Amino acid sequence: MLAAEALRLAAVEVLCPTAASLAGSGFPTLAGRLVYDSRAAAIEDLDRTKPYTPTLTLHTAESGVALRGAMAAADDTEADAVLDVVAQLAVVADDDDGEFVDAMAETDSDARLVLAALCAQVRLHLERSQDGGLWRTLVRRIVKIEAQTFAVPNLGLRWQRVTMRFHCEIRDDYFDMTGGGLPQPIRRLYEALPAQSYAKAKLAALASHFPAEVLPPFEGGDAYGPET
């Protein structure tokens, strides 16, 4: 479902606005420009002079569509998606294979508050901010939000990482078969995105995969055969 992918791309734009990226300032969260689409943080992006670097990574974890009821028409559907936002205080770790990015593994009450603040900023800007309206155009309602910590308590291991799971009812894809291009409501999202945005470039690349369908010409007649 493209609507589920657009849900993630719109969240990337809200949490890392194009205007802030171009200006180098004015980012809405502690992660700054370190908001990643479906991939892990890069080592070269981390600030080694600080004890940790706040980052956000977004994934579309699940999506689906179903009829509204047993007697519903074929196009009377309801769709849902789960957006995972992984918030962490990232550090450079190393093992026998070399360096890699991991979450801070120390128990630190101050760091935990920073992580909690980062998670709260995500909720604030997706659910309440004016800029978050871009994301909310795709969301009928947020059914549930889970915050899953990353730990092995029986071994005393706790990482400064939280996965926020946004369970959302979303608008299903609606394709214009004769017009082609992106389906709604993604087309409206595409039109609303800034010209230089990462999300707009990704959606533009998809549009060419949905050409218009040429319908056969209509011929006169009725259910009993052609006119004579």
Side-chain angles (χ1 to χ4, degrees):
M1 282 177 32
L2 288 182
E5 304 302 313
L7 185 74
R8 185 188 71 256
L9 291 171
V12 170
E13 174 62 30
V14 171
L15 299 175
C16 185
T18 299
S21 294
L22 295 175
S25 62
F27 296 99
T29 76
L30 293 167
R33 65 171 68 251
L34 304 185
V35 178
Y36 299 92
D37 175 23
S38 304
R39 68 181 181 90
I43 290 178
E44 57 269 22
D45 291 341
L46 304 190
D47 188 345
R48 293 175 183 256
T49 67
K50 296 181 179 179
Y52 52 76
T53 303
T55 68
L56 295 170
T57 299
L58 282 65
H59 300 277
T60 302
E62 304 171 29
S63 63
V65 61
L67 293 177
R68 289 186 182 274
M71 303 300 292
D75 60 352
D76 185 11
T77 58
E78 53 187 12
D80 61 83
V82 178
L83 174 67
D84 281 359
V85 181
V86 181
Q88 69 175 357
L89 305 183
V91 297
V92 177
D94 62 85
D95 58 15
D96 294 340
D97 295 323
E99 293 184 331
F100 61 96
V101 176
D102 197 6
M104 179 181 177
E106 300 175 23
T107 300
D108 184 321
S109 57
D110 291 335
R112 195 67 187 179
L113 286 175
V114 171
L115 183 59
L118 177 59
C119 292
Q121 288 176 328
V122 170
R123 281 197 66 189
L124 170 66
H125 289 284
L126 290 182
E127 294 184 74
R128 304 294 180 186
S129 75
Q130 292 185 53
D131 290 341
L134 185 73
W135 184 74
R136 294 191 296 273
T137 60
L138 299 169
V139 179
R140 291 186 182 277
R141 63 171 180 157
I142 300 172
V143 178
K144 179 174 66 172
I145 301 175
E146 300 174 88
Q148 301 177 344
T149 56
F150 193 72
V152 187
N154 58 321
L155 297 180
L157 300 175
R158 298 181 184 277
W159 286 263
Q160 301 292 351
R161 178 188 294 138
V162 171
T163 298
M164 303 179 69
R165 311 201 77 207
F166 290 81
H167 296 255
C168 304
E169 289 183 2
I170 63 175
R171 303 180 188 281
D172 195 9
D173 299 336
Y174 178 79
F175 288 91
D176 180 353
M177 298 306 296
T178 57
L182 291 170
Q184 296 288 14
I186 303 165
R187 184 177 298 183
R188 284 193 295 273
L189 170 66
Y190 173 81
E191 293 168 351
L193 286 165
Q196 295 174 286
S197 82
Y198 166 85
K200 189 157 196 164
K202 290 294 185 182
L203 292 176
L206 289 176
S208 62
H209 296 299
F210 302 98
E213 183 174 291
V214 179
L215 299 179
F218 177 76
E219 297 181 0
D222 55 32
Y224 298 100
E227 293 180 340
T228 57

